[in-house]
Amino acid sequence: MDKSIQEELKRASELVLSARYVVAVVGAGMSAESGIPTFRGPGGLWNKYGEPDMRGFERFLADPKTWWRNMLKGGRPGSELQAAVEKAQPNPGHHALAELERLGVLRYIITQNVDGLHHVAGSTRVAEIHGNTRKLRCLRCTARFDRRAFEIDVEHLPPRCPECGGVVKGDGVMFGEPIPEDVLAICQEQTAASDCMLLLGTSGVVYPAAGFPQQVKWAGGRLIEINPLETDLSHLCDVVVRAPTGEALPELTKLIGELKTS
Ligand code: OAD
């Protein structure tokens, strides 16, 4: 690893260890090394297919039956993402975050990713602000269900919530859909508690997630970015590590482990 990157990682490890409450905000770049495409930048899904219809959620509400029919047929632009998610395994970056939680260093992950890979890697304190494509969610009571275990009667679409009878949709948050209140409340609580935020593989352009680091900064906290490219949030960061998370996070975790025991 480049010497200047090593130096930034050392500074990052010191900042992390001097902080009271460290939270990570994660984006698509974190799962790029697991074979899941990002949205923006080279190879990004939105570059290939264009940004999805901003009225996606409005359309779902107007005609959930047609959405479900198309969904069960496959072939939506999102299905490239779905296919990649189904095959994906956590990469060394995900495992490093799980280790940082076990070390008592990382308190929470706020992820914009819908792939569920943090849980697979062993992280337990995770808020999936844009949902999880492996799950379904009731729009009325927010109960979540494992997509594979949920029985769908194709003659009676949309499926209904077994708990309250509300309409069920994919848990992934659509364009125009409000962030589910339960997960948003966790994100706000964790942001308010944080005095050091790690920005991992996110372009920092989608709100409300992009606003959390700004809140931490305004409250006097520190920001550490790990991303091979500059982002809209780079100028706010105290430490910037220009490297892929799959390489930088294991190294950072090693340095933190060494400092903790020295
Ligand atoms: P983006 O696709 O906007 O940005 C991905 C970021 O990851 C870029 O800044 C890349 O430079 C960086 N990157 C690429 N490879 C990386 C690697 N190996 N290690 C670290 N960083 C890497 O993804 P997000 O910021 O997550 O929302 O996008 C936010 C939201 O926009 C997504 O959750 C999605 C999309 O609309 C929904 O679908 C609701």
Side-chain angles (χ1 to χ4, degrees):
M1 195 172 273
D2 194 272
K3 195 158 175 266
S4 65
I5 293 178
Q6 278 288 358
E7 278 163 14
E8 291 307 308
L9 282 171
K10 187 157 183 302
R11 286 184 60 211
S13 65
E14 288 161 2
L15 265 193
V16 164
L17 279 180
S18 64
R20 192 176 23 82
Y21 199 97
V22 182
V23 171
V25 170
V26 172
M30 177 94 203
S31 293
E33 287 153 278
S34 293
I36 301 177
T38 60
F39 299 96
R40 298 170 187 82
L45 286 173
W46 298 167
N47 286 354
K48 253 193 198 169
Y49 298 105
E51 285 218 0
D53 186 351
M54 286 295 162
R55 292 165 303 161
F57 187 55
E58 201 184 306
R59 282 176 198 250
F60 174 86
L61 291 180
D63 187 0
K65 191 172 181 166
T66 300
W67 184 88
W68 267 103
R69 274 212 203 106
N70 292 339
M71 159 80 193
L72 293 171
K73 262 194 283 176
R76 296 173 308 122
S79 50
E80 180 178 336
L81 176 65
Q82 186 66 32
V85 167
E86 273 162 27
K87 283 190 292 191
Q89 291 301 320
N91 65 56
H94 295 103
H95 290 298
L97 288 189
E99 176 63 13
L100 285 176
E101 181 187 317
R102 280 192 290 273
L103 289 171
V105 170
L106 180 64
R107 304 301 190 96
Y108 226 92
I109 296 171
I110 297 173
T111 186
Q112 297 164 88
N113 297 347
V114 293
D115 52 41
L117 290 179
H118 292 294
H119 290 291
V120 180
S123 293
T124 63
R125 291 171 62 77
V126 182
E128 294 172 313
I129 189 167
H130 292 162
N132 183 327
T133 61
R134 300 170 200 247
K135 294 183 191 163
L136 301 174
R137 169 168 40 88
C138 169
L139 285 181
R140 190 187 292 162
C141 72
T142 71
R144 279 135 176 119
F145 309 98
D146 179 347
R147 191 181 276 265
R148 289 201 185 155
F150 195 88
E151 282 188 28
I152 295 172
D153 178 354
V154 290
E155 300 299 323
H156 295 96
L157 295 174
R160 296 279 169 174
C161 174
E163 288 169 29
C164 78
V167 169
V168 168
K169 72 177 274 291
D171 183 39
V173 172
M174 287 174 168
F175 274 71
E177 180 177 0
I179 305 293
E181 277 173 23
D182 54 351
V183 72
L184 186 59
I186 296 172
C187 295
Q188 285 164 342
E189 180 192 290
Q190 293 302 317
T191 298
S194 171
D195 65 341
C196 179
M197 203 165 244
L198 309 178
L199 316 186
L200 308 174
T202 178
S203 58
V205 295
V206 174
Y207 286 78
F212 302 146
Q214 299 176 39
Q215 251 175 274
V216 169
K217 187 74 186 175
W218 292 330
R222 303 301 183 92
L223 302 180
I224 299 167
E225 177 174 76
I226 305 183
N227 193 317
L229 299 177
E230 187 170 351
T231 74
D232 281 21
L233 298 172
S234 300
H235 67 286
L236 294 175
C237 292
D238 299 279
V239 177
V240 172
V241 181
R242 287 276 168 257
T245 41
E247 291 173 26
L249 281 170
E251 201 54 34
L252 178 66
T253 307
K254 198 174 113 198
L255 289 171
I256 288 171
E258 285 167 7
L259 281 177
K260 261 178 97 71
T261 50
S262 70

